[in-house]
Amino acid sequence: MDAVLHDLALHWPLYAAMPFVAALIGYVTKRVAIEMMFRPLDFVGIPPLLGWQGVVPKHGGRMAAVATELLTANLLDVREVLERIDPVIITSELEQPLLRAVGHIAREVLAEHHPRLWEVMPTLAQEMLVKQVQASAPRLVRDFLDDVREHLDEVLDVQHMTVQQLTRDKKLLVRLIRETSRPEMAFIARMGVYFGFGLGLVQTIVWALTREPWVLPVFGGVIGLCTDWLAIKLIFVPREPVRVGRVIFQGKFQRRRAEVARQYGELIATEVLTVRNLLDAILRGPRADRLAARVEHLVSETVDAQLPLAWTVGGTRLREMKHAATRKALDQLPETARYAEGYLTEAMDVAKVIEQRMLALTPLEFEGLLRPAFRQDEWKLIAVGGVIGFVVGELQVLLMLG
């Protein structure tokens, strides 16, 4: 014991530094693990083995599929969201741009497909015909909205749209997970400091008693491994509040349910299930041809309602005109719908719907929102922490014995 006390007195600065170095190991290994989850977006190194790609972007497709499954199965019914749109209000919002678009389409189609008839018609007759078509525009909007609602599964693949959106933009997927879990990431780093300091005190005692060179690197490796593993576990467990005396223990992610629900809902509403993205998925997605067929049916009914036009134009040419009008209407739809984007976003209120549904999830279902991000290659992140801790321990040995 005298030898131990003598060594402590002789090297007290190094002994005093040990717990702080261990705390630094705990912090650094956590920060490295966190950054390795998200960076780099693309593989850096010599493929396939020598190098690294962030866990989230590497497994983006799988994580996007998991997020989409949770979204479509538990959090959002697009049909219910579309039911919130009032046909009267949307027609009012689109009235002027719709009249301009319909008038433009009618003039173009008639001029292209029946130029002789259009040229010989007096200007007043042309305007009357255009106004007749325009008069049917409000009904066309209502019929279109009702038709999309009734046959939503035929014209929109929400899962395909969401997965494609998240996998196409790696930064978006990273931001979705990182922003939602930012406090948890900070918690992991802090736990690295606390756990590392505690283990560092044990390390100091063992080193003082043994002076074995293996103590420092082994403890460094253990600190890196255990603090990574324990910090990740404490994010999620216990799922339900557990009272010990006056203290209540619960996984940090579970405790932040209300905040996470609000953040996640806002991110999905502003980045993924936006009006533009939904419209783009309907118009250009894998089921776009079905939408085109339904729109052509509605346009055909509208054109047929203009009896003078139907009598004047032959059957073949009339079908060509209907097809051309449909194509132009679909091309004009994104620009026309832009004028009602504010109302549509407010009416659908995707963020609020997701937030409310998330609050109703079971703890296990709620955990599924973030857990896949850690589960993928989790052992690699923990192993890296152990290696870093071991190397720093070796450096400590050199300093202690130097």
Side-chain angles (χ1 to χ4, degrees):
M1 181 59 72
D2 290 339
V4 171
L5 294 175
H6 175 74
D7 193 59
L8 282 171
L10 189 63
H11 299 102
W12 69 266
L14 292 176
Y15 280 101
M18 278 188 184
F20 295 97
V21 172
L24 180 63
I25 292 173
Y27 178 78
V28 170
T29 55
K30 300 307 148 298
R31 292 307 314 176
V32 170
I34 290 168
E35 293 306 314
M36 287 177 67
M37 284 184 62
F38 303 109
R39 299 180 182 178
L41 289 177
D42 299 302
F43 186 88
V44 174
I46 303 173
L49 299 177
L50 189 57
W52 185 258
Q53 181 181 11
V55 173
V56 172
K58 179 183 178 182
H59 299 283
R62 196 181 312 168
M63 290 187 182
V66 171
T68 301
E69 178 64 26
L70 175 68
L71 186 67
T72 55
N74 298 315
L75 301 183
L76 190 68
D77 183 346
V78 178
R79 191 184 304 277
E80 178 186 330
V81 168
L82 292 180
E83 289 292 339
R84 295 166 173 256
I85 300 172
D86 188 322
V88 175
I89 297 178
I90 190 67
T91 302
S92 174
E93 292 282 331
L94 292 176
E95 182 178 6
Q96 292 306 315
L98 188 63
L99 291 177
R100 288 195 298 270
V102 169
H104 180 70
I105 290 171
R107 289 185 177 89
E108 275 196 349
V109 170
L110 286 165
E112 287 177 11
H113 293 269
H114 210 321
R116 291 183 181 178
L117 173 64
W118 186 247
E119 289 170 3
V120 300
M121 286 180 69
T123 303
L124 183 60
Q126 290 179 353
E127 291 303 316
M128 287 182 62
L129 181 57
V130 169
K131 287 188 181 299
Q132 270 189 299
V133 178
Q134 287 177 324
S136 62
R139 183 184 61 80
L140 187 61
V141 170
R142 291 193 294 270
D143 289 347
F144 174 75
L145 187 57
D146 291 341
D147 203 59
V148 169
R149 285 170 175 165
E150 185 178 349
H151 303 94
L152 185 63
D153 294 336
E154 295 180 21
V155 299
L156 176 63
D157 188 339
V158 179
Q159 288 192 332
H160 178 273
M161 183 205 79
T162 308
V163 170
Q164 188 179 56
Q165 190 75 15
L166 293 175
T167 52
R168 184 172 51 202
D169 187 352
K170 295 177 184 177
K171 290 182 180 179
L172 174 58
L173 181 62
V174 166
R175 189 162 68 252
L176 181 65
I177 295 176
R178 189 157 201 166
E179 289 300 319
T180 305
S181 63
R182 192 171 292 278
E184 280 68 38
M185 301 304 169
F187 171 80
I188 288 176
R190 289 198 305 273
M191 288 300 100
V193 174
Y194 303 148
F195 296 152
F197 189 86
L199 288 173
L201 291 174
V202 178
Q203 175 193 46
T204 304
I205 296 170
V206 174
W207 170 263
L209 294 174
T210 64
R211 296 284 294 181
E212 287 288 344
W214 55 264
V215 168
L216 297 182
V218 167
F219 263 88
V222 169
I223 290 169
L225 287 170
C226 294
T227 55
D228 272 7
W229 177 83
L230 189 57
I232 291 174
K233 289 298 179 185
L234 287 178
I235 289 177
F236 301 106
V237 294
R239 295 188 180 102
E240 300 282 1
V242 175
R243 180 180 291 275
V244 179
R246 294 185 177 182
V247 181
I248 297 177
F249 293 95
Q250 187 180 19
K252 185 173 179 62
F253 191 62
Q254 298 288 353
R255 290 202 309 271
R256 286 201 318 117
R257 176 182 288 244
E259 182 184 351
V260 171
R262 178 182 55 78
Q263 289 178 332
Y264 193 78
E266 289 177 355
L267 279 168
I268 292 295
T270 57
E271 301 282 358
V272 182
L273 293 179
T274 64
V275 173
R276 292 186 184 184
N277 288 346
L278 284 168
L279 194 57
D280 185 72
I282 291 174
L283 295 176
R284 298 179 179 85
R287 300 175 184 175
D289 56 332
R290 302 181 191 180
L291 175 74
R294 307 207 69 84
V295 171
E296 185 157 4
H297 175 71
L298 293 174
V299 170
S300 178
E301 289 183 340
T302 302
V303 173
D304 288 343
Q306 315 308 317
L307 293 179
L309 180 64
W311 289 337
T312 307
V313 182
T316 302
R317 184 172 291 177
L318 188 60
R319 282 193 297 272
E320 292 174 354
M321 291 173 67
K322 291 175 180 178
H323 184 72
T326 300
R327 189 180 67 253
K328 291 178 183 295
L330 290 171
D331 290 342
Q332 289 280 326
L333 188 55
E335 176 62 23
T336 305
R338 183 173 61 84
Y339 292 90
E341 194 169 318
Y343 164 71
L344 290 170
T345 301
E346 183 180 349
M348 292 191 299
D349 201 5
V350 171
K352 192 66 176 178
V353 172
I354 291 177
E355 179 183 352
Q356 291 173 345
R357 294 285 177 83
M358 283 186 69
L359 293 174
L361 293 176
T362 66
L364 186 60
E365 289 171 336
F366 183 74
E367 179 182 312
L369 179 70
L370 184 62
R371 191 69 181 95
F374 288 90
R375 190 173 287 118
Q376 298 296 336
D377 289 346
E378 182 178 299
W379 69 271
K380 292 181 182 178
L381 301 178
I382 295 174
V384 167
V387 170
I388 294 175
F390 187 88
V391 171
V392 175
E394 286 284 4
L395 294 176
Q396 283 182 285
V397 172
L398 295 177
L399 290 173
M400 294 295 290
L401 300 180

